[in-house]
Coordinates of all heavy atoms in Angstrom, one line a residue:
M292 N 96.8 105.7 105.8 CA 96.6 104.3 105.8 C 96.3 103.8 107.3 O 96.9 104.2 108.2 CB 97.9 103.6 105.4 CG 97.7 102.1 105.0 SD 99.2 101.3 104.4 CE 99.5 102.2 102.9
P293 N 95.2 103.0 107.5 CA 94.8 102.7 108.8 C 95.9 101.8 109.5 O 96.6 101.0 108.8 CB 93.5 101.9 108.6 CG 93.6 101.4 107.2 CD 94.4 102.4 106.4
E294 N 95.9 102.0 110.8 CA 96.9 101.2 111.6 C 96.3 99.9 111.9 O 95.1 99.7 112.1 CB 97.3 102.0 112.8 CG 98.3 103.1 112.5 CD 99.0 103.6 113.8 OE1 98.6 103.2 114.9 OE2 99.9 104.3 113.6
I295 N 97.1 98.9 112.1 CA 96.8 97.6 112.7 C 97.5 97.5 114.0 O 98.4 98.3 114.3 CB 97.1 96.4 111.8 CG1 98.5 96.4 111.4 CG2 96.2 96.6 110.5 CD1 98.9 95.2 110.5
E296 N 97.2 96.5 114.8 CA 97.8 96.4 116.1 C 98.4 95.0 116.3 O 97.7 94.0 116.1 CB 96.9 96.8 117.2 CG 97.6 96.9 118.6 CD 96.8 97.6 119.6 OE1 96.6 98.8 119.5 OE2 96.3 96.9 120.5
L297 N 99.6 94.9 116.8 CA 100.3 93.7 117.1 C 100.5 93.8 118.6 O 100.3 94.8 119.3 CB 101.6 93.6 116.4 CG 101.7 93.5 114.9 CD1 101.1 94.7 114.2 CD2 103.1 93.3 114.5
T298 N 101.0 92.7 119.2 CA 101.5 92.8 120.6 C 103.0 92.4 120.6 O 103.4 91.5 119.8 CB 100.8 92.0 121.6 OG1 100.9 90.6 121.3 CG2 99.3 92.4 121.7
F299 N 103.8 93.1 121.4 CA 105.2 92.8 121.5 C 105.5 92.6 123.0 O 105.4 93.5 123.8 CB 106.0 94.0 121.0 CG 107.5 93.8 121.2 CD1 108.2 92.7 120.7 CD2 108.2 94.7 121.9 CE1 109.6 92.6 121.0 CE2 109.6 94.6 122.2 CZ 110.2 93.5 121.7
D300 N 105.8 91.4 123.4 CA 105.9 91.0 124.8 C 104.8 91.5 125.6 O 104.9 92.0 126.7 CB 107.3 91.5 125.3 CG 108.5 90.7 124.8 OD1 108.3 89.6 124.3 OD2 109.6 91.2 124.9
G301 N 103.6 91.4 125.1 CA 102.3 91.7 125.8 C 101.9 93.1 125.7 O 100.8 93.4 126.1
A302 N 102.7 94.0 125.1 CA 102.4 95.4 125.0 C 101.8 95.7 123.6 O 102.3 95.1 122.6 CB 103.6 96.3 125.3
P303 N 100.9 96.6 123.4 CA 100.4 96.9 122.1 C 101.5 97.5 121.2 O 102.3 98.3 121.7 CB 99.3 98.0 122.4 CG 99.0 97.9 123.8 CD 100.2 97.3 124.5
L304 N 101.5 97.2 120.0 CA 102.5 97.7 119.0 C 101.8 98.1 117.7 O 101.3 97.2 117.0 CB 103.6 96.7 118.7 CG 104.6 97.1 117.7 CD1 105.6 98.1 118.2 CD2 105.3 95.8 117.1
P305 N 101.6 99.4 117.5 CA 100.9 99.8 116.2 C 101.8 99.5 115.0 O 103.0 99.6 115.1 CB 100.7 101.3 116.4 CG 101.8 101.7 117.4 CD 102.1 100.5 118.2
A306 N 101.1 99.2 113.9 CA 101.9 99.0 112.7 C 101.0 99.4 111.5 O 99.8 99.7 111.7 CB 102.3 97.5 112.5
R307 N 101.6 99.5 110.3 CA 100.8 99.8 109.1 C 100.8 98.6 108.2 O 101.9 97.9 108.1 CB 101.4 101.0 108.5 CG 101.2 102.3 109.3 CD 101.6 103.5 108.5 NE 101.2 104.6 109.3 CZ 101.9 105.8 109.3 NH1 102.9 105.9 108.4 NH2 101.5 106.8 110.0
P308 N 99.8 98.3 107.5 CA 99.8 97.2 106.6 C 100.9 97.4 105.6 O 101.2 98.5 105.1 CB 98.4 97.4 105.9 CG 97.5 98.1 106.9 CD 98.5 99.0 107.6
G309 N 101.6 96.3 105.3 CA 102.7 96.4 104.4 C 104.0 96.5 105.0 O 105.1 96.3 104.4
Q310 N 104.1 96.9 106.3 CA 105.3 97.0 107.0 C 105.8 95.6 107.3 O 105.1 94.7 107.4 CB 105.1 97.8 108.3 CG 105.2 99.3 108.3 CD 105.2 99.9 109.7 OE1 104.4 99.5 110.5 NE2 106.1 100.9 109.8
T311 N 107.1 95.6 107.6 CA 107.7 94.3 108.1 C 107.7 94.5 109.6 O 107.5 95.6 110.2 CB 109.2 94.1 107.7 OG1 109.9 95.2 108.2 CG2 109.3 94.0 106.2
V312 N 107.8 93.4 110.3 CA 107.9 93.4 111.8 C 109.0 94.2 112.2 O 108.9 95.0 113.2 CB 108.1 91.9 112.3 CG1 108.5 91.9 113.8 CG2 106.8 91.1 112.1
G313 N 110.2 94.1 111.6 CA 111.3 95.0 111.9 C 111.0 96.4 111.8 O 111.5 97.3 112.6
A314 N 110.3 96.8 110.7 CA 110.0 98.2 110.5 C 109.1 98.7 111.6 O 109.2 99.8 112.1 CB 109.4 98.4 109.1
A315 N 108.1 97.9 112.0 CA 107.1 98.3 113.0 C 107.8 98.5 114.3 O 107.6 99.4 115.1 CB 106.0 97.3 113.1
L316 N 108.7 97.6 114.7 CA 109.4 97.7 115.9 C 110.3 98.9 115.9 O 110.4 99.7 116.9 CB 110.3 96.4 116.2 CG 109.5 95.1 116.6 CD1 110.3 93.9 116.4 CD2 108.9 95.3 118.0
T317 N 111.0 99.1 114.9 CA 111.9 100.3 114.8 C 111.1 101.6 114.9 O 111.5 102.5 115.6 CB 112.7 100.2 113.5 OG1 113.5 99.0 113.5 CG2 113.7 101.4 113.4
A318 N 110.0 101.6 114.2 CA 109.2 102.8 114.2 C 108.7 103.1 115.6 O 108.4 104.3 116.0 CB 108.0 102.7 113.2
A319 N 108.5 102.1 116.4 CA 108.1 102.2 117.8 C 109.2 102.5 118.8 O 109.0 102.6 120.0 CB 107.3 101.0 118.2
G320 N 110.4 102.6 118.2 CA 111.6 102.9 119.1 C 112.3 101.7 119.7 O 113.1 101.8 120.6
V321 N 111.9 100.5 119.2 CA 112.5 99.3 119.7 C 113.7 98.9 118.8 O 113.5 98.7 117.6 CB 111.5 98.1 119.7 CG1 112.2 96.9 120.3 CG2 110.3 98.5 120.5
A322 N 114.9 98.9 119.4 CA 116.1 98.7 118.6 C 116.6 97.3 118.8 O 117.4 96.8 118.0 CB 117.2 99.7 119.0
S323 N 116.2 96.6 119.8 CA 116.7 95.2 120.1 C 115.6 94.4 120.6 O 114.8 94.8 121.4 CB 117.8 95.3 121.1 OG 118.2 94.0 121.6
W324 N 115.5 93.1 120.1 CA 114.4 92.2 120.5 C 114.9 90.8 120.8 O 114.1 89.9 120.9 CB 113.2 92.2 119.6 CG 113.6 92.1 118.1 CD1 113.8 91.0 117.4 CD2 113.8 93.2 117.2 NE1 114.1 91.3 116.1 CE2 114.1 92.7 116.0 CE3 113.7 94.6 117.3 CZ2 114.3 93.4 114.8 CZ3 113.9 95.4 116.2 CH2 114.2 94.8 115.0
R325 N 116.2 90.6 120.8 CA 116.7 89.3 121.2 C 118.1 89.5 121.8 O 118.7 90.6 121.6 CB 116.7 88.3 120.1 CG 117.8 88.5 119.1 CD 117.9 87.3 118.2 NE 119.0 87.4 117.2 CZ 120.2 86.9 117.3 NH1 120.5 86.2 118.4 NH2 121.1 87.1 116.4
T326 N 118.7 88.5 122.4 CA 120.1 88.6 122.8 C 120.8 87.4 122.3 O 120.2 86.3 122.0 CB 120.2 88.6 124.4 OG1 119.5 87.5 124.9 CG2 119.6 89.9 124.9
T327 N 122.1 87.5 122.1 CA 122.8 86.4 121.5 C 123.0 85.3 122.6 O 123.0 85.5 123.8 CB 124.3 86.8 121.1 OG1 124.9 87.4 122.2 CG2 124.2 87.9 120.0
A328 N 123.1 84.1 122.1 CA 123.1 82.9 122.9 C 124.4 82.8 123.8 O 124.3 82.5 125.0 CB 123.0 81.6 122.1
K329 N 125.5 83.2 123.3 CA 126.8 83.0 124.0 C 127.0 84.2 125.0 O 127.4 84.0 126.1 CB 127.9 82.9 123.0 CG 127.9 81.5 122.3 CD 129.1 81.4 121.4 CE 129.0 80.0 120.7 NZ 130.0 79.9 119.7
K330 N 126.9 85.4 124.5 CA 127.3 86.6 125.3 C 126.1 87.5 125.8 O 126.3 88.5 126.4 CB 128.3 87.4 124.6 CG 129.6 86.6 124.3 CD 130.7 87.4 123.8 CE 132.0 86.5 123.7 NZ 133.1 87.3 123.1
G331 N 124.9 87.1 125.3 CA 123.8 87.9 125.8 C 123.7 89.3 125.2 O 123.1 90.2 125.8
R332 N 124.4 89.5 124.1 CA 124.4 90.9 123.5 C 123.1 91.2 122.7 O 122.5 90.3 122.1 CB 125.6 91.0 122.6 CG 126.9 90.9 123.3 CD 128.1 91.2 122.5 NE 129.3 91.3 123.3 CZ 130.5 91.0 122.9 NH1 130.7 90.5 121.7 NH2 131.5 91.1 123.8
P333 N 122.6 92.4 122.8 CA 121.4 92.8 122.1 C 121.5 92.7 120.6 O 122.5 93.1 120.0 CB 121.1 94.2 122.6 CG 122.5 94.7 123.0 CD 123.3 93.5 123.4
R334 N 120.4 92.3 120.0 CA 120.4 92.3 118.5 C 119.0 92.7 118.0 O 118.0 92.5 118.7 CB 120.6 90.8 118.0 CG 122.0 90.3 118.2 CD 123.0 91.1 117.3 NE 124.4 90.6 117.4 CZ 125.3 91.0 118.2 NH1 125.0 91.9 119.1 NH2 126.5 90.5 118.2
G335 N 119.0 93.3 116.8 CA 117.8 93.8 116.2 C 118.1 93.8 114.7 O 118.7 92.9 114.2
L336 N 117.7 94.9 114.0 CA 118.0 95.0 112.6 C 119.5 95.2 112.3 O 120.1 96.0 113.0 CB 117.2 96.1 111.9 CG 115.7 95.9 111.8 CD1 115.1 97.1 111.1 CD2 115.3 94.6 111.0
F337 N 120.0 94.6 111.3 CA 121.4 94.8 110.9 C 121.4 95.0 109.4 O 121.5 96.1 108.9 CB 122.4 93.8 111.4 CG 123.8 94.1 111.0 CD1 124.4 95.1 111.6 CD2 124.5 93.3 110.1 CE1 125.8 95.4 111.3 CE2 125.8 93.6 109.8 CZ 126.4 94.7 110.4
C338 N 121.3 93.9 108.7 CA 121.3 94.1 107.2 C 120.0 94.6 106.7 O 119.9 95.3 105.7 CB 121.7 92.7 106.5 SG 120.4 91.5 106.5
G339 N 118.9 94.2 107.3 CA 117.6 94.6 106.8 C 117.1 94.0 105.6 O 116.0 94.4 105.0
I340 N 117.8 93.0 105.1 CA 117.4 92.3 103.8 C 117.3 90.8 103.9 O 117.4 90.1 102.9 CB 118.3 92.8 102.6 CG1 119.8 92.5 102.9 CG2 118.1 94.2 102.3 CD1 120.7 92.7 101.8
G341 N 117.3 90.3 105.1 CA 117.1 88.8 105.2 C 118.4 88.0 105.2 O 118.3 86.8 105.0
V342 N 119.5 88.6 105.2 CA 120.8 87.9 105.1 C 121.5 87.5 106.4 O 122.0 86.4 106.5 CB 121.8 88.7 104.2 CG1 123.1 88.0 104.0 CG2 121.1 88.9 102.8
C343 N 121.5 88.4 107.3 CA 122.4 88.2 108.5 C 121.8 87.4 109.7 O 122.5 86.9 110.5 CB 122.9 89.6 109.0 SG 121.6 90.5 109.9
F344 N 120.5 87.3 109.7 CA 119.8 86.6 110.8 C 119.9 87.2 112.2 O 119.7 86.6 113.2 CB 120.2 85.1 110.9 CG 119.6 84.3 109.7 CD1 120.1 84.5 108.4 CD2 118.5 83.5 109.9 CE1 119.6 83.8 107.3 CE2 118.0 82.7 108.8 CZ 118.5 82.9 107.5
D345 N 120.4 88.5 112.2 CA 120.5 89.2 113.5 C 119.1 89.5 114.1 O 119.0 89.7 115.3 CB 121.2 90.5 113.4 CG 122.7 90.3 113.8 OD1 123.1 89.2 114.1 OD2 123.4 91.4 113.8
C346 N 118.1 89.6 113.3 CA 116.8 90.1 113.7 C 115.8 89.1 114.1 O 114.6 89.3 114.1 CB 116.2 90.9 112.5 SG 115.9 89.9 111.1
L347 N 116.2 87.9 114.5 CA 115.3 86.8 114.8 C 114.4 87.2 115.9 O 114.8 87.8 116.9 CB 116.1 85.5 115.1 CG 117.0 85.0 114.0 CD1 117.8 83.8 114.5 CD2 116.2 84.7 112.8
I348 N 113.1 86.7 115.7 CA 112.1 87.0 116.7 C 111.1 85.9 116.7 O 111.0 85.1 115.7 CB 111.4 88.4 116.4 CG1 110.5 88.9 117.5 CG2 110.6 88.3 115.1 CD1 110.1 90.3 117.4
T349 N 110.3 85.7 117.7 CA 109.3 84.7 117.8 C 108.0 85.4 117.4 O 107.6 86.4 118.0 CB 109.1 84.1 119.2 OG1 110.3 83.4 119.5 CG2 108.0 83.1 119.2
A350 N 107.4 85.0 116.3 CA 106.1 85.6 115.8 C 105.0 84.5 115.7 O 105.2 83.5 115.1 CB 106.4 86.1 114.3
D351 N 104.0 84.8 116.5 CA 102.8 83.9 116.6 C 103.3 82.5 117.0 O 102.8 81.5 116.5 CB 102.1 83.8 115.3 CG 101.3 85.1 115.0 OD1 100.9 85.8 115.9 OD2 101.1 85.4 113.8
G352 N 104.2 82.5 117.9 CA 104.7 81.2 118.5 C 105.7 80.5 117.7 O 106.2 79.5 118.1
V353 N 106.1 81.0 116.6 CA 107.1 80.4 115.7 C 108.4 81.1 115.9 O 108.6 82.3 115.6 CB 106.7 80.4 114.2 CG1 107.7 79.7 113.4 CG2 105.3 79.8 114.0
P354 N 109.4 80.4 116.5 CA 110.7 81.1 116.8 C 111.5 81.3 115.5 O 111.3 80.7 114.5 CB 111.4 80.1 117.8 CG 110.8 78.8 117.4 CD 109.4 79.0 116.9
N355 N 112.5 82.2 115.7 CA 113.5 82.4 114.7 C 113.0 82.9 113.3 O 113.5 82.4 112.3 CB 114.4 81.1 114.5 CG 115.0 80.7 115.8 OD1 115.5 81.5 116.5 ND2 115.0 79.4 116.0
Q356 N 112.0 83.8 113.4 CA 111.5 84.4 112.2 C 112.4 85.7 112.0 O 112.6 86.4 112.9 CB 110.1 84.8 112.3 CG 109.2 83.6 112.6 CD 109.3 82.5 111.5 OE1 108.9 82.8 110.4 NE2 109.8 81.3 111.9
R357 N 112.7 86.0 110.7 CA 113.5 87.2 110.4 C 112.5 88.4 110.4 O 111.7 88.5 109.5 CB 114.3 87.0 109.1 CG 115.5 86.1 109.3 CD 116.1 85.8 107.9 NE 115.2 84.9 107.2 CZ 115.4 84.5 105.9 NH1 116.5 84.9 105.3 NH2 114.6 83.7 105.3
A358 N 112.7 89.3 111.4 CA 111.8 90.4 111.5 C 111.9 91.3 110.3 O 110.9 91.9 109.9 CB 112.1 91.2 112.7
C359 N 113.0 91.4 109.6 CA 113.2 92.3 108.5 C 112.5 91.9 107.2 O 112.3 92.7 106.3 CB 114.7 92.5 108.2 SG 115.5 91.1 107.5
I360 N 112.1 90.6 107.2 CA 111.3 90.2 105.9 C 110.0 89.6 106.3 O 109.3 89.1 105.4 CB 112.2 89.2 105.1 CG1 112.5 88.0 105.9 CG2 113.4 89.9 104.6 CD1 113.1 86.9 105.0
T361 N 109.6 89.6 107.5 CA 108.3 89.1 107.9 C 107.3 90.2 107.9 O 107.4 91.2 108.7 CB 108.4 88.4 109.3 OG1 109.4 87.4 109.3 CG2 107.0 87.9 109.8
P362 N 106.2 90.1 107.1 CA 105.2 91.1 107.1 C 104.3 91.1 108.3 O 104.1 90.0 108.9 CB 104.4 90.8 105.8 CG 104.7 89.4 105.5 CD 106.0 89.0 106.1
V363 N 103.9 92.3 108.8 CA 103.0 92.4 109.9 C 101.6 91.8 109.5 O 101.2 91.8 108.3 CB 102.9 93.8 110.4 CG1 104.2 94.3 111.0 CG2 102.3 94.7 109.4
R364 N 100.9 91.4 110.5 CA 99.5 90.9 110.4 C 98.7 91.4 111.6 O 99.3 91.4 112.7 CB 99.5 89.4 110.3 CG 98.2 88.8 110.1 CD 98.3 87.2 110.1 NE 98.9 86.7 111.3 CZ 98.2 86.7 112.5 NH1 97.0 87.1 112.6 NH2 98.8 86.1 113.6
D365 N 97.5 91.9 111.4 CA 96.7 92.3 112.5 C 96.6 91.2 113.5 O 96.2 90.1 113.2 CB 95.3 92.8 112.0 CG 94.6 93.6 113.1 OD1 95.3 94.3 113.9 OD2 93.4 93.7 113.1
G366 N 96.8 91.6 114.8 CA 96.7 90.6 115.9 C 97.9 89.7 116.1 O 98.0 88.9 117.0
M367 N 99.0 90.0 115.3 CA 100.2 89.2 115.4 C 100.8 89.3 116.8 O 100.8 90.4 117.4 CB 101.2 89.7 114.4 CG 102.5 88.9 114.2 SD 103.4 89.6 112.9 CE 103.7 88.2 111.9
V368 N 101.3 88.2 117.4 CA 101.9 88.2 118.7 C 103.4 88.0 118.5 O 103.9 87.0 118.0 CB 101.3 87.1 119.6 CG1 102.0 87.0 120.9 CG2 99.8 87.3 119.7
L369 N 104.2 89.0 119.0 CA 105.6 89.0 118.9 C 106.2 88.8 120.3 O 105.8 89.4 121.2 CB 106.2 90.3 118.3 CG 105.6 90.6 116.9 CD1 106.0 92.1 116.5 CD2 106.0 89.6 115.9
E370 N 107.3 88.1 120.3 CA 108.0 87.8 121.6 C 109.5 87.9 121.4 O 110.0 87.4 120.4 CB 107.6 86.5 122.2 CG 106.1 86.3 122.4 CD 105.8 84.8 122.6 OE1 105.5 84.1 121.6 OE2 105.8 84.4 123.8
T371 N 110.2 88.5 122.4 CA 111.6 88.5 122.4 C 112.1 87.1 122.6 O 111.4 86.2 123.1 CB 112.2 89.4 123.4 OG1 111.7 89.0 124.7 CG2 111.9 90.9 123.2
G372 N 113.4 86.9 122.3 CA 113.9 85.5 122.5 C 115.4 85.6 122.7 O 116.0 86.7 122.6
S373 N 116.0 84.5 123.1 CA 117.4 84.5 123.1 C 117.9 83.8 121.8 O 117.2 82.9 121.3 CB 117.9 83.7 124.3 OG 117.3 82.4 124.4
G374 N 119.0 84.3 121.3 CA 119.3 84.0 120.0 C 120.0 82.6 119.7 O 120.7 82.1 120.6
E375 N 119.6 82.1 118.6 CA 120.3 80.9 118.1 C 121.4 81.2 117.2 O 122.2 80.4 116.9 CB 119.3 80.0 117.4 CG 118.3 79.3 118.4 CD 117.3 80.2 119.0 OE1 117.1 81.4 118.5 OE2 116.7 79.8 120.0
S376 N 121.4 82.5 116.8 CA 122.5 83.0 115.9 C 123.5 83.8 116.8 O 123.1 84.4 117.7 CB 121.9 83.9 114.8 OG 122.9 84.5 114.0
A377 N 124.8 83.7 116.4 CA 125.8 84.4 117.2 C 125.6 85.8 117.1 O 125.9 86.6 117.8 CB 127.2 84.0 116.8
Ligands
LIG471 S1 118.4 92.2 109.7 FE1 119.6 90.8 108.7 S2 118.3 89.1 108.4 FE2 117.0 90.6 109.3

């Protein structure tokens, strides 16, 4: 399956059509893409099914998107953020 390319904090991030943002980040070895608001602890995938909100990320300028259920799109711009969720 042909790869598509996203950017993650300005760096190229390869992905495959049909993947979620969380899957693409994990496949690239990225385990954390935000920190919690109160204690600055790293967060990434936890439940993987859209329930816990640990995986929030800014996608195409829209903050607080759940990476585990957001599908990748060619040219998508992903940015880390500080968390609104504990
Ligand atoms: S990992 Fe739980 S909502 Fe995304």
Side-chain angles (χ1 to χ4, degrees):
M292 194 177 294
E294 286 196 346
I295 59 177
E296 191 165 287
L297 297 63
T298 61
F299 173 59
D300 285 345
L304 177 74
R307 293 190 173 148
Q310 276 188 314
T311 64
V312 167
L316 287 165
T317 300
V321 181
S323 169
W324 46 85
R325 75 170 182 97
T326 54
T327 58
K329 290 183 181 173
K330 296 189 176 179
R332 293 188 173 147
R334 291 292 185 268
L336 289 181
F337 184 66
C338 75
I340 57 172
V342 175
C343 73
F344 288 72
D345 262 5
C346 63
L347 298 179
I348 193 166
T349 299
D351 290 333
V353 181
N355 302 320
Q356 302 300 298
R357 286 172 288 176
C359 69
I360 60 169
T361 301
V363 296
R364 180 184 59 73
D365 196 26
M367 187 177 234
V368 177
L369 303 171
E370 300 165 275
T371 56
S373 54
E375 285 70 19
S376 176

